[in-house]
Amino acid sequence: MNVLVIGSGGREHALCWKIRQSSSLEKLHALPGSDAMGKICDRVDLEMSDFENISKYCLDNNINLVVVGPELPLSIGVTDFLAGRGIKVFGPSKKGAKLEYSKEFAKEFMKRNGIPTADFRIFSEPSTAKMEIKKMKFPLAIKADGLCAGKGVRICFEEREAIRTIEDFMEKKVFGASGERIVVEEFLFGEEASAMAFVDGENVLTLPLSRDHKRVMDNNEGPNTGGMGALCPINIATETFNQIQEDIIKKFALGIKKENIDYKGIIYAGLMLTKNGPKVLEFNVRFGDPEAQAVLPLIENDFLSLLYSSASGNLRQEKLKLKKQTCLTVVLASKGYPENPETEKEISGLEDLENSSEVMLFHAGTKFKAGKWITSGGRVLNLTVLGDTVDEARQKAYFAATRVKFEGMHYRKDIGLY
Ligand code: AMP
Ligand code: GLY
C-alpha cells in the first residue's frame, strides 16, 4: 500500500513510525511532514488546505490510504473532498469533525444519544449569559463553541470571573468567531482520562485508556497546554472500562449511524471519571497528541491493517493485540511554552537517542538546518519508552531527558505518577 499521512507534529511522526512497521507498506508520504519525518518518508510540499492538489498528488502516486493527523483539515472537509474523488481516507467527514469544532454540536449530540456528560446551557447573547450564570452553582466551566487551540475553556470559581470570561469570549472576541457562542457547564470532579477508539462507520475497537498531563507544570499547576506527557495504560477498574465502552463508545457508534454521519477514523473522548461514572468533557475526532505517542507503541497488530479496516468499514475482522507493558511519553518544551515559546535554539544530545533501542524519539517542533537540529515550536520532542512497570518507564524516560539540551528546555517531572 502507498500511504499519505497529513500533518507535521509529534503525533504524525509516531503515526509514520508505526505505519512503517507494517508489512503491507509500499511507500510512505507525509504532507507537509517535518524534517524528522522526512528521514522515514517522502515529504509533499503542499498546504493541508490545498485539496485540489492533494487529490491530484494522491491519484498520481497511487495512494491507497490517506491518514489525517490533525483536526483542522478534517474540519474544513478534506475527507469529503478526497472521498468524492475515490480516495480512501482515515479520518471523519466534515459533519463528523463538527463533534470537535463545535462544542455546542458535541453537547447536543451527546444529549440526543444518551452519552453521559456535564449538564450545560448554550448562549449566543452575552447579556443573557451574564444574567443566567447568576442563578448557577459555581464552579462552572465556560467554553467557546469553536476551535481555540486548546485555550477556549475557563474554569470559573465565582461570578466575577464568569462575567469576565463571557466578556472576553463574546464581546471582546479574543477567539474571534469561535467564541460568539458559548457552552456553560457544570463543573465535574474526578480524575481525567483519554479514551480513543477506531471507528469504521459502525463498529468500534477501543484502545487502552491513557492519561494526558495538560498543565505546564508539575502537580497540574500553571496554564493548560496541548499536553506535556502521557501514560498508557492507566490503572482503572475493569468495570469503569466496560462502562466507557458501553455508555460512551458504543453509544457514539449508534449515534453516528442514526444521524447519518460518515465517520471512519478515531474517536477520542476526553473523560472525567466522576463518582457517578465516566462523563465526556469533549470529543476530538483524531488521535490525541501526545496520547498517540504513548498508545501506538503498545499495539502489536499490523497498524496499517487497523487503519485500512477502519477506513473500509471492515473493523469487525480486527482484534486488538497489545503488549503487556506500560508506555510513557515525556514532552520537552521550549521556554515560554504555552504562551510565547522561544524557537531557533540548537538542540544537542539527539545522536545517542536516535540510535537507542530503548527510546522512541518523536519530533514535534524541530527542523534540521546546516547539519543541526533546531527548535521550531512550543512542544519540541517526545521521549517515549516502554517499561514493565510505570517506575521502570519513568526511569528510562527521565534518564533520556537528561541527555537532551537546548536553551530554555523544560519538562514535567511527574508524568506517570498519577
Ligand atoms: P476541554 O477542552 O473541554 O476538554 O477542556 C479542557 C480542560 O478543562 C479539561 O481537560 C478539564 O481539565 C477542564 N474541564 C473542561 N470541562 C470541565 C468540566 N465540566 N468540569 C471540570 N473540568 C473541566
Ligand atoms: N492531548 C490532547 C489533545 O490531543 O487534544
Side-chain angles (χ1 to χ4, degrees):
M1 265 193 265
N2 296 310
V3 179
L4 173 72
V5 171
I6 296 184
S8 60
R11 165 185 50 208
E12 288 77 22
H13 192 189
L15 283 167
C16 286
W17 167 85
K18 193 67 189 168
I19 291 170
R20 285 251 306 184
Q21 295 167 8
S22 294
S23 55
S24 53
L25 180 72
E26 178 81 29
K27 199 156 183 211
L28 184 59
H29 310 247
L31 183 157
S34 61
D35 290 344
M37 287 160 76
K39 296 196 183 291
I40 55 171
C41 48
D42 278 9
R43 291 185 67 183
V44 187
D45 188 16
L46 287 174
E47 297 281 333
M48 290 194 267
S49 55
D50 186 357
F51 297 168
E52 200 62 66
N53 280 314
I54 296 177
S55 139
K56 186 169 180 315
Y57 184 88
C58 290
L59 297 171
D60 289 349
N61 290 276
N62 297 318
I63 299 293
N64 306 98
L65 182 69
V66 175
V67 180
V68 188
E71 62 277 17
L72 199 73
L74 295 168
S75 71
I76 54 174
V78 69
T79 302
D80 312 62
F81 191 94
L82 296 179
R85 279 154 181 76
I87 300 160
K88 219 180 256 306
V89 186
F90 180 88
S93 63
K94 184 170 179 184
K95 195 167 165 196
K98 197 166 184 186
L99 288 167
E100 177 162 355
Y101 76 76
S102 167
K103 289 196 185 285
E104 174 179 354
F105 179 73
K107 294 296 282 191
E108 300 288 2
F109 175 89
M110 287 187 254
K111 198 157 111 184
R112 284 194 298 274
N113 291 290
I115 297 172
T117 186
D119 285 341
F120 69 100
R121 297 270 311 268
I122 311 276
F123 295 103
S124 55
E125 286 298 331
S127 53
T128 321
K130 284 182 198 170
M131 218 158 57
E132 292 297 312
I133 53 123
K134 287 185 203 296
K135 303 176 201 156
M136 296 180 184
K137 205 165 131 231
F138 283 81
L140 291 171
I142 302 190
K143 308 184 174 187
D145 175 52
L147 292 177
C148 302
K151 295 185 183 129
V153 177
R154 287 202 203 152
I155 307 299
C156 301
F157 291 88
E158 40 145 36
E159 196 181 309
R160 227 174 15 179
E161 256 180 302
I163 301 271
R164 201 168 49 231
T165 301
I166 293 167
E167 286 170 355
D168 285 350
F169 287 10
M170 304 183 84
E171 291 172 354
K172 294 188 193 149
K173 300 194 199 279
V174 294
F175 298 118
S178 285
E180 279 170 3
R181 298 172 74 82
I182 59 167
V183 177
V184 177
E185 66 177 41
E186 160 202 21
F187 184 85
L188 297 175
F189 294 88
E191 287 186 352
E192 287 186 53
S194 307
M196 298 192 282
F198 291 96
V199 188
D200 72 353
E202 185 166 355
N203 305 290
V204 288
L205 199 57
T206 309
L207 285 159
L209 252 61
S210 53
R211 176 159 294 139
D212 185 9
H213 296 60
K214 284 206 170 79
R215 303 283 179 148
V216 73
M217 289 187 293
D218 284 9
N219 302 315
N220 273 338
E221 284 169 13
N224 256 332
T225 69
M228 293 296 289
L231 172 74
C232 184
I234 59 167
N235 196 5
I236 59 158
T238 310
E239 190 197 334
T240 312
F241 185 80
N242 292 341
Q243 256 179 319
I244 294 167
Q245 174 99 318
E246 296 301 318
D247 292 347
I248 296 171
I249 304 295
K250 288 198 180 155
K251 284 190 184 168
F252 160 83
L254 287 173
I256 52 162
K257 192 142 187 255
K258 201 167 81 198
E259 301 193 12
N260 255 324
I261 299 175
D262 187 11
Y263 200 113
K264 299 182 177 91
I266 282 285
I267 183 68
Y268 161 142
L271 305 174
M272 191 68 92
L273 307 177
T274 76
K275 66 177 181 0
N276 299 319
K279 296 193 179 187
V280 178
L281 293 177
E282 63 164 349
F283 279 130
N284 293 322
V285 298
R286 32 89 194 161
F287 282 106
D289 185 349
E291 287 94 327
Q293 291 86 310
V295 177
L296 300 190
L298 292 168
I299 298 177
E300 286 195 326
N301 302 59
D302 183 295
F303 186 57
L304 191 45
S305 169
L306 285 174
L307 299 173
Y308 196 78
S309 296
S310 304
S312 322
N314 285 330
L315 255 189
R316 238 186 311 214
Q317 71 186 28
E318 300 282 351
K319 196 170 177 305
L320 209 53
K321 289 187 270 301
L322 298 166
K323 287 200 168 71
K324 290 194 171 47
Q325 282 184 295
T326 288
C327 190
L328 185 103
T329 190
V330 175
V331 172
L332 306 182
S334 294
K335 184 173 178 186
Y337 179 71
E339 286 96 357
N340 248 323
E342 287 182 359
T343 56
E344 302 294 323
K345 306 291 178 199
E346 186 179 332
I347 309 168
S348 63
L350 295 190
E351 305 73 25
D352 286 356
L353 298 181
E354 275 160 1
N355 299 318
S356 155
S357 55
E358 296 272 20
V359 182
M360 292 156 272
L361 177 64
F362 300 126
H363 289 241
T366 68
K367 57 189 175 185
F368 197 65
K369 228 162 81 180
K372 295 188 171 111
W373 286 107
I374 314 279
T375 65
S376 65
R379 292 192 287 180
V380 177
L381 293 159
N382 300 270
L383 302 178
T384 304
V385 299
L386 288 164
D388 290 334
T389 61
V390 177
D391 270 355
E392 188 194 321
R394 277 178 46 78
Q395 269 173 27
K396 285 188 200 171
Y398 285 112
F399 178 69
T402 62
R403 314 290 282 273
V404 183
K405 295 204 167 38
F406 57 87
E407 194 189 313
M409 174 176 114
H410 63 97
Y411 56 92
R412 277 182 64 160
K413 313 286 186 306
D414 62 350
I415 307 300
L417 278 187
Y418 55 87

